Structure formats: structure tokens, C-alpha cells
Amino acid sequence: DEKVEVGAIAAADGATLDFTGVTGTLSVAVGTTNDYTVKGSATAATTFTMAGGLDADDSIEGGSATTDKATATVTGLTATTGAITASGVEVFELTNTATAVVDFTGTTGVTEVSINGGHATDDVATLKGLDAGTAVTLGNGSTAHVGSLTVALEDATGSSDSLTLNLTAAGTGGLTNLTTAGIETLNIVGAADMDAQNISVLNVDASKIVVTGGNTTSAVDLELTGGGTAGTASTVKQIGR
């Protein structure tokens, strides 16, 4: 099967870019000036590279593959401009170096959202409209998201809603203030190569915080400060071997 890699497309504003007939792995990058409907392969894994162009006027459609991914820089998006539309895209890899609001209410099939930052102390991101059970990953590259992160579900009325927070090698020990609402269980999962992490859970309302995983080579510090209104949290050090 063919494999297709498409560079930055600069088509007419509002154009539909249809790659549904591609049967091999697809990577497509679109220009940042105009807005598009981008349809990935109907059957093979697709990576949508949106750079700084993703906003509420774009639409992304994945196919039957379970590893479709979209990458984007979302700095500056608001509750209005950040209300994105997507279907069949399982993973979003986002970068925010200042302030951003991304609303996933108009998406289906999202299983993981990872967030990079500017390695500063004041990255402020809000991820809203997520389905219960969605995983949020702090740092998917070389830069951690340090500052404030608010995560809100589209529907938090259930009695057993959970959120998974993945910790990676991008951690630096810098403080990330996490805020959640209507989540009963916060699962914190350390990657095998995770770095030191400092997470404030003062504004996490989960009644249970579960920590698993960790660095498999050497022990690293995981600091959990504060405590939820219905639960408790404390400092957990040297997670891993």
C-alpha cells in the first residue's frame, strides 16, 4: 500500500482536503492562514499537523484506525476560537506557551490529550468538554507544561467518572496546578522514563487519587501537594525503582 506525506497545503479558505482513499500511513500538514475540512485515510493511521492553524473553523476527520493523531499549537485560543471539531481522531498533541482554552465538546473518539508548555511558570491551559476516562499527558516532547491546567468533562454527572494523568520524561519538578470538577478518581500514571514532577492537587475534587507506574531505572520525586475537597493527597517521593 502507498504511504503519503503531504507538506503544508495552502488551499482556498474553506476547502475540503480529502485523503480518504489513501490506504497506507498518511501524514498531512496544512497551512495556518486558511481554514479547512481535512479528511484522513479511511482505513490507515493519519497524522494531521495543524501547527498554529487549528481553531473552531476547522474540521478534522479520522478513519477506522485507532491511532489517528492531530498536533497543534493552541496558544491564544479562547473558549470561542478553541471549540474544535473532530471525529475519529484518538490523540491530540497540543502546545501552549502562554494561555489557551481548547473545547473538545465537538469531538468524538478522543482518548488522549497531551499538552506541552513553554517550560515557564505561567503556562495556563483549559481542556474542557472531554469524555470521562480520557487520558491527559503532561509533556509529549522536551518541554513540560508548568503553571495551571484545568480539566473539565463534557458530562460530569456520573458517580464514577475518572481522569488519567500521564507523567513523562518532560517533567522538571516545576509546579503544575491541576484543577478538576466532577471527577471521582484521578489516576496518576508514571512513564518508565518519567522525570521529577510537582503536581498541586489542591483544586482536584476527586475522592480517590491512585498512583501507579514510575521510572524503571532510577527513583524520581513525585510531589502531590494539597488535597481535594472529598479526598486526601500528600507527598509521594521516589516513585519507581
Side-chain angles (χ1 to χ4, degrees):
D1 293 338
E2 72 268 30
K3 295 184 179 181
V4 178
E5 183 173 345
V6 182
I9 301 172
D13 190 33
T16 295
L17 311 175
D18 190 339
F19 298 92
T20 54
V22 175
T23 57
T25 304
L26 171 66
S27 177
V28 55
V30 300
T32 60
T33 302
N34 294 331
D35 299 306
Y36 304 107
T37 295
V38 188
K39 298 181 178 182
S41 168
T43 55
T46 301
T47 297
F48 303 87
T49 303
M50 305 299 291
L54 179 65
D55 61 27
D57 295 320
D58 295 297
S59 179
I60 309 172
E61 298 179 18
S64 61
T66 58
T67 55
D68 290 329
K69 176 174 67 177
T71 66
T73 298
V74 295
T75 306
L77 291 184
T78 67
T80 300
T81 60
I84 61 176
T85 300
S87 62
V89 180
E90 286 76 27
V91 177
F92 278 80
E93 292 185 357
L94 309 178
T95 298
N96 166 54
T97 58
T99 302
V101 178
V102 184
D103 188 346
F104 289 87
T105 303
T107 68
T108 58
V110 178
T111 59
E112 179 185 354
V113 178
S114 57
I115 183 81
N116 278 335
H119 232 153
T121 59
D122 56 355
D123 302 327
V124 179
T126 297
L127 307 176
K128 58 187 296 188
L130 294 173
D131 290 335
T134 301
V136 175
T137 299
L138 286 181
N140 55 42
S142 61
T143 55
H145 192 276
V146 178
S148 299
L149 176 62
T150 298
V151 180
L153 302 182
E154 180 179 1
D155 180 4
T157 59
S159 60
S160 58
D161 294 325
S162 66
L163 171 71
T164 295
L165 185 70
N166 294 322
L167 306 182
T168 70
T172 63
L175 180 64
T176 298
N177 294 288
L178 179 63
T179 298
T180 66
I183 295 172
E184 283 72 39
T185 302
L186 174 64
N187 296 302
I188 299 177
V189 181
D193 61 348
M194 70 167 283
D195 201 350
Q197 304 275 351
N198 188 1
I199 312 295
S200 172
V201 293
L202 181 64
N203 294 311
V204 171
D205 66 342
S207 57
K208 180 187 296 185
I209 298 176
V210 180
V211 180
T212 58
N215 193 301
T216 57
T217 302
S218 59
V220 297
D221 283 355
L222 169 61
E223 305 280 349
L224 299 178
T225 59
T229 56
T232 60
S234 59
T235 298
V236 180
K237 290 195 172 184
Q238 296 187 327
I239 181 173
R241 296 180 62 184

